[in-house]
Amino acid sequence: MTSNKELMGAGTGLLVLSVLAREASYGYQIIRRINDEAAGLFVWQEGTVYPLLHKLEKDGFVRTQWQQADTGRRRKYYYITAKGREALSEGHRQWHAFHHMVTRFVEATNGQSF
Amino acid sequence: MTSNKELMGAGTGLLVLSVLAREASYGYQIIRRINDEAAGLFVWQEGTVYPLLHKLEKDGFVRTQWQQADTGRRRKYYYITAKGREALSEGHRQWHAFHHMVTRFVEATNGQSF
DNA sequence: CTATTATGCCAAGAAGTTCCAGGCATGTCA
DNA sequence: TGACATGCCTGGAACTTCTTGGCATAATAG
C-alpha cells in the first residue's frame, strides 16, 4: 500500500529521474533544466535538489562519478541505474493513477469555471 | 511565484475541496469517500485529514458548523466558501500545468516500458 | 446485559521534505 | 581587481504526514 507521502513526493524524484534517464547530468544543470522547463510554475532551490540527489543515490536509483569539465571545474555526474529506471516507470504509473483520480474528483464538482 | 511545496501539497487540499464543492461533509465521511475513491492507491489517515481541515478553515477556504445527526452523534460539517472555490479553481489549473510538465518530462525519456 | 465494533472528534510526537540563508571554491569577464 | 556565474554543500526553520493514542456515543453481536 503506497503512502500518500510517497506519492506526493514522487513528483520531485520523478522529474529528476526523468532528466537523468535522458542523459546523465550534474546537480547544477539539473536544477537549471527543471526550472527552465517549469517556466515560472515553480522554482526549485538548490537546498531542495541536492538533498534529493543524495537520497536518490542512497536508495540506489542513481550512481555518481566526479568528472573534470573542459572548464576545469569539478562536476558530480549522476547516472540513473536499472533500479532507478524501474522506479521511474512505477512512479510514472502511480502518478497517472493519482492524476486521474484528482481530475475525476475535481471535474465532478461542476461544469463551471474550469 | 508558486513554491514547489504549495504545488505538491496542493493535491491533498484539492481533493478535499473538490469533495466539499459537491456537497458539504464532515471529517469522517470525507476520509472514507476519498479512501474509497483511491481504491488502494493510497490510504489517508485521520491524522492527515483533520489537521488539513483545520488549516483549510484557518485559511478561510471552508467554514464549519456543528450538527446533530439523526443517529444522535455530533458532526462537524465543512462548507466550502467562495474563497475556497477560487482556490479550488486555481489549484486545479496549476495541477494541470504541473501534471503536463511531469508527463512531458517523463514521456520524453523514451518510448519504451510505459 | 455486556462486549465489541463502528462512528466521530481530536492531539502529541516522530519522521520526512522543502525552503532559506548561508559557506566555500574556481573560472570568466569587465 | 572585483563582480558574477558556475558548482558543490550544510544547518536550521517551517511545514506535512504518519503513527499512535485518547475520548465519547451508537449500533450490533453474543
Side-chain angles (χ1 to χ4, degrees), chain B residues 19 23-36 50 75 77:
Chain B
V19 166
E23 186 184 10
S25 185
Y26 52 98
Y28 198 80
Q29 191 179 43
I30 293 169
I31 294 169
R32 275 188 319 182
R33 282 190 180 164
I34 291 182
N35 283 337
D36 283 352
Y50 283 115
R75 292 171 180 162
Y77 272 81

Side-chain angles (χ1 to χ4, degrees), chain A residues 86-104:
Chain A
E86 285 171 30
L88 176 57
S89 178
E90 172 63 13
H92 185 227
R93 201 186 57 72
Q94 291 193 356
W95 176 264
H96 261 295
F98 186 61
H99 174 255
H100 185 252
M101 180 184 164
V102 170
T103 300
R104 187 152 32 85

